[in-house]
């Protein structure tokens, strides 16, 4: 079985999340740039499939837009003494922009750290580790089905859009019409998802899910933690300790 | 080893006050054989299959049922209240739903059934490979399940059930979404299967089951209106026009009456006596 370095990668996710809450925003921004490059320079973090690769690249563009929107909205909504930019009714305060700059890298760093784990590790590997950790198989299956639902959601929306288009609905005419269409498809989307979940659950039950013999636990494997796992966890602990000391300092 | 199936005076209502989905239904299926349950939509075919596998009584505790079902010499009154898998296996009408969607390859998707049953891990691989070979799916072992064609998905769905060696296999309209070639492949698989497993197949069309089944049951609004052999079924076919799409078959039957050497050859090829 391929070693996907799940331990070090989980520890890295934890470390980056800790950084998002303990380090100044400028360092977070620098870390974010490094994290974006990691799949291209660190082999264990390479996307496992072309689809995962596309998702990562799409998320880079999405995060640029999201970061800009966070900074803009904060600059617009948070009032301050100093004005950075003014154009008609649009007034951006320096305090708001700074707050946006502090918030955006934090959110993006957490998102990228989780994304890195998922694009470079097959779901199967994560499941195996969860089972080895002692999570009940029923719980693992429910988690997997939830993940499957999330994964197939864009395709499901696209199918409904195509069906609506075939009926002449102008759903792709503009961003506004897409948003309007999204609202109208919410109920059929939820209903079809629920119905499929019930059917999928029935199908799994008919294949032995929840059968009494299921109580056989998966064999647990003894593992020595990878050196990177230990390093990442130690750095995370040090950062938390440092932050607590800063708070306690008079 | 195939399982015998005896259903006696089975009546089923989803709840009090609703019309019965099945009414005084009786059926004996000897081992091993293949029985086709035909009827229009809403005639009770799917209800019957879910009653037999045990999922219906389990999930509809307020349902009302009478009669009895005997599967492999075990009597359930009125019907099983727990899922009987792996003794009884059921493939659903939509094969895409039958697959979990959470496994990366066809091999691991089929293996999931055995894992769910708690099979010894060392035995899983051999059993999966054997099933995939039997169903002609071995070449697809490493394909992703969501990249398969309709016919392939149907056979993989069948493999997810067959891997557990059920004694009684129930199939809910297995040919609905298949093209002619995929239907032919599935027919060949089922002809081979019925030598060792008792099969119960539902369908709304005659074409598919006519070449596979030995026994035919026609349901209408939950009531059995015909239960007979293939020869008897063909003889009754003209009377079933309001329930089954028999128009094409009327022409076939007319040809049959003429009994030319050519039609004899065609009927022989189709397995008619």
């Amino acid at each position: 079985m391929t070693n996907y370095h799940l331990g070090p990668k989980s520890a890295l996710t934890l470390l980056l999340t800790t950084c998002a809450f303990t380090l100044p925003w400028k360092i977070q921004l620098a870390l974010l740039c490094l994290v974006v490059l990691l799949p291209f320079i660190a082999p264990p973090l390479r996307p496992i499939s072309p689809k995962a690769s596309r998702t990562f690249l799409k998320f880079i563009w999405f995060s640029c837009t999201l970061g800009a929107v966070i900074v803009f909205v904060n600059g617009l909504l948070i009032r301050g003494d100093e004005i950075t930019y003014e154009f008609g009714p649009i007034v951006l305060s320096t305090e708001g922009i700074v707050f946006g700059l502090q918030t955006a890298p934090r959110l993006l760093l957490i998102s990228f750290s989780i994304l890195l784990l998922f694009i470079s590790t097959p779901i199967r590997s994560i499941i195996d580790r969860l089972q080895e950790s002692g999570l009940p198989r029923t719980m693992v299956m429910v988690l997997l089905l939830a993940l499957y639902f999330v994964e197939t959601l864009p395709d499901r929306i696209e199918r409904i859009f195509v069906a609506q288009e075939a009926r002449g609905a102008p759903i792709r005419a503009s961003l506004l019409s897409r948003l309007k269409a999204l609202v109208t498809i919410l109920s059929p989307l939820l209903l079809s998802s629920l119905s499929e979940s019930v059917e999928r659950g029935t199908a799994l039950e008919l294949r032995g899910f929840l059968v009494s013999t299921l109580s056989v636990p998966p064999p647990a494997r003894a593992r020595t933690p990878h050196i990177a796992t230990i390093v990442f966890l130690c750095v995370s602990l040090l950062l938390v300790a440092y932050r607590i000391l800063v708070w306690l300092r008079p | 080893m195939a399982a015998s199936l005896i259903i006696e005076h089975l009546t089923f209502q989803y709840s009090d006050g609703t019309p019965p989905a099945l009414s005084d239904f009786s059926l004996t299926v000897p081992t091993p054989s293949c029985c086709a349950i035909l009827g229009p939509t809403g005639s009770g075919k799917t209800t019957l299959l879910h009653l037999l596998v045990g999922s219906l009584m389990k999930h509809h505790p307020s349902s009302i049922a009478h009669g009895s079902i005997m599967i492999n010499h075990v009597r359930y009154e009125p019907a099983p209240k727990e899922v009987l898998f792996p003794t009884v296996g059921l493939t659903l009408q939509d094969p895409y739903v039958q697959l979990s969607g959470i496994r990366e390859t066809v091999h691991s998707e089929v293996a999931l059934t055995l894992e769910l049953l708690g099979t010894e891990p060392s035995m899983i691989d051999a059993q999966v490979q054997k099933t995939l070979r039997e169903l002609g799916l071995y070449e697809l072992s490493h394909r992703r399940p969501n990249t398969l064609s309709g016919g392939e998905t149907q056979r993989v769905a069948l493999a997810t059930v067959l891997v557990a060696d059920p004694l009684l296999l129930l199939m809910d309209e297995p040919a609905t979404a298949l093209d002619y070639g995929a239907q032919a492949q599935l027919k060949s698989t089922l002809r081979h299967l019925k030598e060792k497993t008792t099969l119960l197949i539902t369908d709304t069309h005659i074409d598919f089951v006519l070449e596979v089944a030995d026994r035919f049951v026609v349901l209408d609004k939950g009531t059995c209106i015909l239960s007979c052999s293939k020869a008897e079924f063909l003889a009754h076919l003209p009377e079933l026009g309001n329930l089954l799409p028999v128009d094409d078959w009327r022409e076939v039957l007319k040809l049959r009456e003429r009994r030319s050497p050519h039609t004899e050859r065609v009927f022989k090829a189709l397995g008619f006596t």
Side-chain angles (χ1 to χ4, degrees):
Chain A
M1 191 176 147
T2 317
N3 183 7
Y4 287 100
H5 304 284
L6 197 53
K9 278 192 274 190
S10 310
L12 180 66
T13 305
L14 182 71
L15 173 62
L16 291 172
T17 309
T18 313
C19 290
F21 289 101
T22 52
L23 296 177
W25 71 270
K26 284 176 187 166
I27 300 179
Q28 284 179 27
L29 204 59
L31 263 178
L32 193 58
C33 297
L34 180 71
V35 167
V36 170
L37 290 175
L38 276 177
F40 306 102
I41 55 174
L45 292 168
R46 278 203 189 125
I48 47 165
S49 64
K51 191 182 170 190
S53 190
R54 279 197 300 275
T55 305
F56 189 73
L57 290 174
K58 265 189 199 171
F59 194 76
I60 293 176
W61 292 115
F62 173 73
S63 62
C64 291
T65 316
L66 186 68
V69 168
I70 290 172
V71 173
F72 179 77
V73 169
N74 278 291
L76 197 70
L77 297 181
I78 297 176
R79 292 283 163 220
D81 300 332
E82 209 176 312
I83 305 293
T84 303
Y85 180 78
E86 191 172 356
F87 181 76
I90 300 169
V91 179
L92 300 180
S93 71
T94 309
E95 286 89 335
I97 289 173
V98 170
F99 184 75
L101 283 171
Q102 286 170 343
T103 313
R106 178 174 294 170
L107 280 175
L108 295 178
L109 196 57
I110 296 170
S111 312
F112 269 104
S113 66
I114 295 168
L115 190 65
L116 270 186
L117 175 72
F118 280 99
I119 60 156
S120 59
T121 320
I123 296 283
R124 180 67 205 268
S125 193
I126 299 172
I127 302 155
D128 286 347
R129 179 54 69 87
L130 283 172
Q131 279 186 213
E132 279 171 25
S133 315
L135 198 69
R137 201 190 292 253
T138 46
M139 189 64 81
V140 173
M141 294 300 294
V142 170
L143 271 174
L144 279 173
L145 287 174
L147 277 175
Y148 174 78
F149 170 69
V150 173
E151 192 187 334
T152 55
L153 198 60
D155 288 342
R156 209 185 290 265
I157 292 174
E158 184 60 26
R159 275 209 299 273
I160 298 177
F161 270 14
V162 169
Q164 294 294 323
E165 257 185 331
R167 294 167 59 195
I171 54 166
R172 285 184 220 261
S174 66
L175 185 66
L176 188 68
S177 48
R178 275 186 88 94
L179 283 173
K180 274 185 189 167
L182 202 60
V183 173
T184 56
I185 68 162
L186 270 180
S187 56
L189 184 71
L190 280 173
L191 283 174
S192 70
S193 305
L194 276 174
S195 153
E196 196 185 313
S197 302
V198 170
E199 280 189 51
R200 236 170 241 286
T202 307
L204 270 177
E205 191 182 15
L206 295 174
R207 287 173 64 185
F209 184 52
L210 299 178
V211 167
S212 53
T213 50
L214 195 65
S215 55
V216 181
R221 276 185 280 169
R223 284 170 183 270
T224 315
H226 195 280
I227 185 73
T229 311
I230 298 168
V231 171
F232 291 150
L233 288 178
C234 287
V235 177
S236 302
L237 280 174
L238 282 172
L239 282 171
V240 172
Y242 162 75
R243 195 70 205 172
I244 290 170
L245 280 176
V246 169
W247 278 332
L248 290 176
R249 207 168 52 189
Chain B
M1 194 181 75
S4 58
L5 170 68
I6 301 168
I7 302 170
E8 288 176 336
H9 307 291
L10 188 66
T11 297
F12 179 83
Q13 280 174 276
Y14 279 93
S15 60
D16 198 11
T18 56
L22 280 173
S23 189
D24 198 24
F25 180 76
S26 297
L27 175 71
T28 302
V29 183
T31 58
S33 65
C34 177
C35 177
I37 312 281
L38 296 159
T41 308
S43 57
K45 304 183 299 292
T46 304
T47 299
L48 176 64
L49 298 192
H50 281 272
L51 262 174
L52 291 174
V53 79
S55 61
L56 201 54
M57 292 296 279
K58 185 181 176 186
H59 295 298
H60 291 82
S62 59
S63 58
I64 301 160
H66 304 287
S68 72
I69 294 171
M70 192 147 77
I71 298 168
N72 206 26
H73 310 294
V74 180
R75 182 179 287 273
Y76 302 91
E77 285 187 353
K81 291 184 175 63
E82 287 297 325
V83 173
L84 296 182
F85 191 74
T87 307
V88 182
L90 169 62
T91 63
L92 300 175
Q93 197 177 343
D94 182 355
Y96 293 95
V97 171
Q98 185 100 26
L99 305 186
S100 71
I102 54 177
R103 287 294 165 102
E104 306 271 321
T105 61
V106 166
H107 184 284
S108 61
E109 179 63 56
V110 176
L112 176 67
T113 304
L114 297 177
E115 290 171 26
L116 289 171
L117 288 170
T119 308
E120 190 66 38
S122 58
M123 293 166 68
I124 290 178
D125 187 51
Q127 209 161 329
V128 171
Q129 283 196 26
K130 180 175 157 264
T131 307
L132 290 177
R133 277 184 210 279
E134 277 176 2
L135 294 179
L137 292 166
Y138 190 71
E139 303 301 317
L140 306 177
S141 292
H142 298 290
R143 284 266 300 274
R144 287 180 73 86
N146 58 3
T147 62
L148 303 173
S149 69
E152 288 166 345
T153 307
Q154 183 64 265
R155 281 188 295 144
V156 173
L158 181 59
T160 62
V161 176
L162 277 182
V163 73
D165 275 332
L167 305 179
L168 172 63
L169 178 64
L170 317 171
M171 300 182 83
D172 196 3
E173 300 190 26
T176 305
L178 303 185
D179 62 22
Y180 185 77
Q183 281 196 17
Q185 263 185 324
L186 188 62
K187 275 181 209 168
S188 153
T189 305
L190 294 181
R191 272 196 290 262
H192 171 68
L193 258 181
K194 73 174 183 181
E195 288 166 16
K196 58 173 189 171
T197 309
T198 306
L199 292 173
L200 213 66
I201 303 173
T202 68
D203 212 338
T204 49
H205 294 82
I206 306 161
D207 316 37
F208 181 76
V209 285
L210 207 51
E211 290 181 52
V212 183
D214 320 303
R215 187 151 194 90
F216 292 80
V217 172
V218 180
L219 281 175
D220 182 28
K221 293 173 190 154
T223 308
C224 176
I225 57 164
L226 188 66
S227 177
C228 55
S229 67
K230 187 189 278 183
E232 287 170 305
F233 176 69
L234 285 170
H236 281 94
L237 210 48
E239 301 154 23
L240 301 170
N242 56 337
L243 297 175
L244 301 167
V246 298
D247 291 349
D248 295 343
W249 288 94
R250 285 216 176 96
E251 294 304 312
V252 176
L253 290 169
K254 274 182 200 165
L255 280 172
R256 194 183 183 204
E257 280 164 15
R258 289 182 208 156
R259 287 279 172 184
S260 71
H262 174 67
T263 52
E264 279 300 329
R265 276 201 300 277
V266 171
F267 284 120
K268 203 175 170 186
L270 286 170
F272 300 163
T273 49

